Amino acid sequence: LADRLAERLKQSPILHADETPVAQLDPGAGKTKRAYLWAYHSNRLAAGPPIVVFDYQASRSGRHASDFLAGWQGHLMVDDYSGYKASFNAKKTVEPCIELGCWTHARRKFFDLHKANQSPMAKEALVRIGQLYAIEAEGKDLSCAARKQLRAEKSQPVLNDLHDWLTKVRARTANGGAAAKAMDYTLRRWASFIRYAETGHLPIDNNVVENCIRPIALGKKNWLFAGSERAGQRAAAIQTLLGTAKLNGLNPEEWLKDTLEKLPTWPNSRIDELLPLTPAMIEKLK
């Protein structure tokens, strides 16, 4: 079921991705070592069912993301972690994987700067980025076509002004400081930050997948570690199924009980009917 959800997820041309460290028991060394739980989420602005897939791996190597996304093409929303760069830079015979920059991460750079020293520049950047989010809130319930028009009329002018302002301020700012680094982060990835505003269906940030990872980041203080790599993979499959059930408004316990009762005699040709999705969403998949 978890593998089938991953197949369904990768039929979407727009994905979110993120990763979080988890502890894994290393019996030979008598201690734990660091592993990673990678998360991939469907686009919340798309018409299909919301799906989250967790992929447990022994390291943070970018090859894990490349392996998971092998053969997939589309827009990928990520932070600036270098592990994703191979997917964007790969030479392919099909359409490439295209980077989407997360405005929440860009905003966080200026938020931390303002919190540290009350920087007027950072405050101005926060106000300007806030305008982008206000426009998104205005277009939350619009169709993709209407949202595209709204972004063209309102978001793109704000983005153009923001880029001009950042470029001018950066030219007057010394290299090496926190202010320069915050501006460089945004300006360096500018092309990836503005792609969403050219459409009505691309997301502005990576919040949906971060929200799915957050309970795991908090929960690992209680469950402490995975007993082995295979145990971590099993846990990832369970988190995939129960996490997707929650996203679709299902009671995970009730869905799991019902599914476990059906599984022994259920034909594999009808496996989609057991996915943790609402009946209406399952019908759309047929």
Side-chain angles (χ1 to χ4, degrees):
L1 283 169
D3 288 344
R4 183 57 174 159
L5 276 178
E7 292 175 5
R8 285 295 188 182
L9 177 76
K10 286 184 280 189
Q11 291 176 8
S12 170
I14 305 165
L15 296 179
H16 297 256
D18 200 6
E19 72 291 329
T20 188
V22 294
Q24 178 185 308
L25 188 64
D26 187 3
K31 58 183 180 180
T32 60
K33 59 183 179 181
R34 175 171 288 193
Y36 277 84
L37 193 65
W38 298 72
Y40 302 89
H41 197 294
S42 57
N43 175 28
R44 62 185 174 82
L45 298 180
I51 296 174
V52 61
V53 172
F54 293 97
D55 183 37
Y56 186 92
Q57 296 291 346
S59 74
R60 201 187 182 196
S61 169
R63 66 180 172 83
H64 299 309
S66 297
D67 289 345
F68 183 88
L69 297 170
W72 178 84
Q73 58 253 226
H75 288 82
L76 184 66
M77 168 64 75
V78 293
D79 58 23
D80 199 31
Y81 170 50
S82 60
Y84 298 110
K85 301 302 181 184
S87 297
F88 302 132
N89 298 331
K91 294 181 179 179
K92 302 179 180 180
T93 57
V94 295
E95 287 296 318
C97 181
I98 303 171
E99 181 181 13
L100 294 177
C102 171
W103 272 106
T104 294
H105 279 83
R107 182 187 182 280
R108 194 171 297 152
K109 304 291 183 183
F110 295 106
F111 177 85
D112 292 342
L113 181 61
H114 184 260
K115 183 178 180 180
N117 58 24
Q118 299 298 304
S119 163
M121 181 279 293
K123 182 177 181 180
E124 176 67 17
L126 291 174
V127 170
R128 290 172 180 264
I129 295 173
Q131 293 173 354
L132 296 174
Y133 275 91
I135 297 167
E136 289 303 294
E138 183 181 344
K140 179 181 179 181
D141 298 322
L142 297 179
S143 66
C144 286
R147 189 182 299 112
K148 180 178 180 180
Q149 182 177 351
L150 176 68
R151 288 172 170 177
E153 293 175 353
K154 295 187 176 182
S155 300
Q156 291 190 27
V158 173
L159 286 165
N160 292 337
D161 289 344
L162 175 57
H163 185 266
D164 291 343
W165 174 77
L166 281 173
T167 302
K168 292 176 182 176
V169 175
R170 180 63 183 90
R172 303 193 302 266
T173 304
N175 294 330
K181 291 179 180 178
M183 287 185 280
D184 287 345
Y185 177 89
T186 303
L187 290 171
R188 175 168 44 84
R189 303 179 66 212
W190 189 254
S192 69
F193 280 120
I194 64 174
R195 287 191 175 110
Y196 86 95
E198 299 167 354
T199 75
H201 63 286
L202 297 179
I204 188 175
D205 58 36
N206 214 20
N207 287 356
V208 292
V209 72
E210 290 190 2
N211 289 340
C212 288
I213 279 184
R214 188 170 293 112
I216 294 171
L218 297 174
K220 63 189 178 186
K221 294 180 180 179
N222 296 318
W223 52 261
L224 300 181
F225 54 80
S228 66
E229 187 169 345
R230 287 187 64 187
Q233 292 168 351
R234 289 193 293 268
I238 294 170
Q239 289 160 339
T240 293
L241 296 170
L242 301 188
T244 297
K246 289 180 181 179
L247 290 175
N248 284 272
L250 302 179
N251 182 307
E253 183 179 5
E254 292 178 0
W255 171 84
L256 184 59
K257 181 177 183 296
D258 180 63
T259 301
L260 289 176
E261 291 173 349
K262 293 177 178 177
L263 271 177
T265 59
W266 197 265
N268 193 58
S269 60
R270 294 173 55 197
I271 193 171
D272 281 0
E273 296 175 38
L274 294 184
L275 293 177
L277 309 175
T278 63
M281 285 300 182
I282 291 176
E283 189 63 29
K284 287 184 178 180
L285 294 180
K286 293 181 180 179

